[in-house]
Amino acid sequence: SSLLRQVFQTTNELALPLSGTGTAGMEACLVNVLRPGDRIVVACSGFFAQRIAEIAARVGATVALVEAPWGRAVAVEDVVRALRAAPTQVVAAAHVETSTGVLQPLPELAAAAREHGALMLVDAVASLGGAELRVDEWGIDVCYSGSQKCLSAPPGMAPLTLAPAARARARGRTVPSFYLDLELIWRYWAPPHAYHHTVPVPLVFAMHEALRLVVGEGLPARWARHAANAAAFAAGIEAMGLRLFAPPGVRSPTVITVSVPEGVDEARVRERLLAEYGIEIAGGLGPLRGKIWRVGLMGHSSQDRLVLLLLTALEAVLTAEGVRVERGAALTSATRLLASTSAA
């Protein structure tokens, strides 16, 4: 819990790794803080924000979707407009929308939620330990993540934290999920350790070691490393003649999205990267299926040498697939940017 508090940048008492994936963390947070009839405003411009809305609806909440096109951040003024429309208990957003590589403006959204008496709930699955995230300073009341992303632990744990105001929403009632009742789980973690369920002990040890490495590196240094490697990769992609999907200003430093060139079989490119170079990248989800590649530069995988390897491999595969790219430009551009970052 102490290491988690440091990584979340919070003093919240309730900070624990839930047994389950990031989706379990999402559902646990929603079923604990939402009650039937509550209103939740969801800033939605991607697949995982849509999932927040779906789970909230299953809890019995009234969902107000504030949408933006996939690949764009939701406008804060649109969220404010939705908050003014009716009393709202929760505002929710995905910090890094994994399906689009877009970084949402959390401090502004949290300020709007606070001004209208709502709790701020954040999906930090693809940002915790990789992108700047300050739970207390930014006024985030509920935050969850996943162990396998920027923390570089095995999948199967969902670190999360709730502020006192958010915990109060769960107390005094029966949470509709026994397994995901966070107060019961907290009693298991805190002395005298009342039994709740059997935790995956090897994953707990792995999570502890991963958090220890994060804290040892230092969060500011870690954030800077992710930002530098993402910028180098983006520079290489553009130098190659490809187009980044997410616009400047809202690009995530952990998930970088690349538009697939016209006429290219994107799945075949991914298959060749894996078979010939041992590199796996992801395709698009939902309406972006077949239209973008999603590249995770997260945790241990966010290394300059891996950026250069991927750019070299992608250039080779695209050339073999008949795509005209400016040979050598990607490596030159990325290397130059990395050198300037290192010198600074």
Side-chain angles (χ1 to χ4, degrees):
S1 292
S2 174
L3 288 171
L4 266 182
R5 291 187 190 101
Q6 292 180 64
V7 176
F8 274 119
Q9 294 284 279
T10 185
T11 59
N12 293 339
E13 180 188 36
L14 197 158
L16 56 84
L18 179 72
S19 304
T21 63
T23 300
M26 177 188 294
E27 187 152 357
C29 289
L30 288 166
V31 300
N32 277 267
V33 303
L34 282 176
R35 302 180 182 186
D38 281 351
R39 183 172 187 262
I40 178 172
V41 171
V42 181
C44 181
S45 60
F47 184 89
F48 290 97
Q50 285 184 343
R51 182 169 290 185
I52 292 173
E54 179 179 346
I55 294 174
R58 292 186 181 210
V59 174
T62 298
V63 178
L65 277 181
V66 181
E67 297 184 274
W70 284 36
R72 300 292 185 272
V74 175
V76 176
E77 54 267 29
D78 291 343
V79 173
V80 171
R81 194 174 299 114
L83 284 166
R84 289 172 178 164
T88 301
Q89 283 68 47
V90 178
V91 174
H95 187 199
V96 170
E97 176 52 70
T98 313
S99 62
T100 64
V102 167
L103 190 73
Q104 289 285 353
L106 286 190
E108 294 88 346
L109 288 176
R114 185 166 56 254
E115 184 179 342
H116 291 82
L119 298 175
M120 186 71 216
L121 182 148
V122 170
D123 178 316
V125 168
S127 64
L128 182 68
E132 183 177 6
L133 176 66
R134 302 178 185 274
V135 167
D136 286 0
E137 184 178 326
W138 291 356
I140 297 167
D141 300 287
V142 183
C143 193
Y144 61 87
S145 188
S147 54
Q148 80 279 17
K149 301 288 188 181
C150 301
L151 300 180
S152 293
M157 301 295 283
L160 56 83
T161 184
L162 268 65
R167 289 184 71 179
R169 296 279 302 163
R171 287 173 169 159
R173 71 183 183 108
T174 301
V175 173
S177 170
F178 178 86
Y179 185 76
L180 299 177
D181 187 323
L182 293 178
E183 287 301 323
L184 294 181
I185 296 171
W186 177 248
R187 291 177 204 163
Y188 172 82
W189 281 97
H193 307 294
Y195 173 75
H196 180 261
H197 70 281
T198 302
V199 299
V201 176
L203 295 183
V204 174
F205 277 101
M207 171 68 78
H208 183 274
E209 180 63 10
L211 293 172
R212 190 187 65 78
L213 292 173
V214 171
V215 171
E217 181 178 359
L219 283 172
R222 197 173 179 90
W223 297 334
R225 170 167 63 85
H226 281 78
N229 288 328
F233 179 70
I237 286 295
E238 292 184 323
M240 198 185 299
L242 303 182
R243 186 173 63 86
L244 294 160
F245 178 68
V250 296
R251 288 176 187 158
S252 158
T254 59
V255 180
I256 297 87
T257 46
V258 181
S259 296
V260 177
E262 190 72 29
V264 172
D265 184 338
E266 70 85 18
R268 180 172 166 80
V269 169
R270 289 189 289 114
E271 289 166 3
R272 291 191 65 167
L273 281 173
L274 183 58
E276 298 170 22
Y277 295 93
I279 299 172
E280 185 170 18
I281 63 174
L285 297 171
L288 297 180
R289 185 178 180 85
K291 297 180 180 179
I292 65 169
W293 290 303
R294 295 181 298 132
V295 177
L297 292 175
M298 294 182 281
H300 185 70
S301 295
S302 181
Q303 298 184 37
D304 52 6
R305 67 178 184 86
L306 297 181
V307 168
L308 301 179
L309 175 61
L310 174 55
L311 288 171
T312 302
L314 186 58
E315 179 186 286
V317 170
L318 288 175
T319 300
E321 288 290 312
V323 181
R324 294 187 63 181
V325 298
E326 191 172 344
R327 300 294 296 271
L331 207 59
T332 299
S333 181
T335 301
R336 184 182 299 118
L337 190 56
L338 287 168
S340 66
T341 304
S342 177

